Amino acid sequence: MTIRRLEILKRTSMATIHGNTVYIAGQCGTAGEDIRSQTRTALAKVERWLAASGSDKSKLLQTTIWLSRMEDFAAMNEVWEQWIDPANPPSRATGIVQPAVPGLDIEVIAVAAV
């Protein structure tokens, strides 16, 4: 079975397709923006990689969301609930981590069917 990688960088590929599954690297917002804006940006990037791999958000299987502060959970969920396909919500986990880059308050990792 072949493996196809999209936008290979020095340390990661932005998306990796294996069989009928795409694995999307963590997508972030723009440092310094509020959590709603960062969430919209991160989800738009996820959607971009889904499209580039021949998938879409209705085929999301699983997502992991990392937040820098639990206080942002409700605001992130407001944006999330407007973005997801309500008929096909993926499995999801959300946790709190210290960001690798100060000011980045959300990272979204996704796995989807192709």
Side-chain angles (χ1 to χ4, degrees):
M1 197 172 283
T2 61
I3 298 172
R4 187 167 58 119
R5 299 175 196 282
L6 305 179
E7 196 170 327
I8 299 170
L9 305 173
K10 185 176 180 179
R11 294 181 186 92
T12 190
S13 295
M14 296 308 290
T16 302
I17 303 162
H18 181 255
N20 294 325
T21 307
V22 60
Y23 304 86
I24 298 173
Q27 302 297 306
C28 299
T30 302
E33 291 184 344
D34 66 38
I35 192 62
R36 286 178 180 86
S37 295
Q38 286 194 39
T39 302
R40 280 191 216 70
T41 299
L43 294 175
K45 290 177 181 180
V46 168
E47 199 159 1
R48 173 182 172 235
W49 290 114
L50 288 168
S53 66
S55 189
D56 61 62
K57 60 187 172 183
S58 73
K59 297 176 185 169
L60 280 169
L61 302 172
Q62 191 269 335
T63 56
T64 303
I65 299 175
W66 295 114
L67 296 172
S68 66
R69 296 181 302 271
M70 188 50 118
E71 296 82 25
D72 291 334
F73 187 71
M76 176 276 298
N77 270 328
E78 289 174 17
V79 176
W80 172 264
E81 289 167 2
Q82 294 171 6
W83 180 79
I84 62 167
D85 177 349
N88 299 293
S91 299
R92 188 185 96 175
T94 304
I96 305 301
V97 296
Q98 181 176 355
V101 176
L104 289 179
D105 297 319
I106 185 169
E107 184 171 5
V108 181
I109 303 162
V111 178
V114 175

